[in-house]
Amino acid sequence: MNLEDFSLKNLGKDLLESKGLVNFLNNFINELKEYLEKDKGQNMINLNVENKYSNYWQYQNFMEDNVAATIGLSRWGADITYYDELGETVDNSILELSEKEGTLYRKQFFANGPYSDGFYDIDKYENGNITHTTMPRNAIPNELENEDLIFQYKDDGTVNVRSDLKKQVVDLASKKASKLKEEENNRNNEYKKEGHIYEAFEDDGYIFLNDLTEERSFSIEDIDFVVDNYQGEGKYKVINDKYEKIDEEL
């Protein structure tokens, strides 16, 4: 819905036709109220979707992390299973934007700042190709040293950080990577069996589920279990397709 949907554009016409200013204003206010309530509701829906995994993805250092958090991919999935796919999706999204924005550069997150020689490794996106180069530490403002950045060079050689393009990259890559969430969901649903008992345990920042009912050679990390059902380490039973924590003695 946009402002053209409102009766404001017909104000002059309505008055000229003597339909009554009071009636017009009442109708306009009702339409505006309906629009704002609808818009607010839509924004709340989007906000909830975007923030459902915010605590789980507390640290989003790389754009790949941003994408994983947006689509609801587990940390294990992002770090291990789909690591290459996420990186390729982000790269392709930056290349796509470079077709209309011109040459783009990416300086990734470095936990300890640049290397000891004072230079960052950066990726250059131009004409459908990615090349690797370096840039001096003093080219990036101090407060952005530990950020994953998209930037361009100005004519005078200074850096123009493009936070707007970073958001576009994440949005674009999230759409491209949505199939990864579907794949992970399918795996999680196959692993989740009604009546089975699972042990939940934490290891190196990951929260895994291990099927105790059926002997298996692997454990999984299910982000939706962590966000929706996890109540600390222990045993969980699938009851009515939901993980429920149970007494340790069972």
Side-chain angles (χ1 to χ4, degrees), residues 80-93:
I80 308 297
T81 311
Y82 302 115
Y83 178 84
D84 291 335
E85 287 93 334
L86 282 173
E88 183 178 352
T89 301
V90 169
D91 280 340
N92 288 338
S93 298

Side-chain angles (χ1 to χ4, degrees), residues 40-58:
K40 178 181 178 182
Q42 185 62 46
N43 285 339
M44 287 299 295
I45 292 173
N46 291 336
L47 185 63
N48 289 337
V49 169
E50 292 172 1
N51 288 337
K52 177 179 179 180
Y53 307 105
S54 59
N55 289 334
Y56 174 93
W57 275 100
Q58 182 179 359

Side-chain angles (χ1 to χ4, degrees), residues 239-250:
I239 303 173
N240 295 326
D241 201 38
K242 180 180 178 181
Y243 289 102
E244 301 279 359
K245 195 167 189 182
I246 60 176
D247 192 296
E248 289 291 330
E249 297 181 358
L250 292 180

Side-chain angles (χ1 to χ4, degrees), residues 25 44 59 80 141 165 225 249:
L25 289 177
M44 287 299 295
Y59 300 105
I80 308 297
L165 293 187
F225 160 73
E249 297 181 358

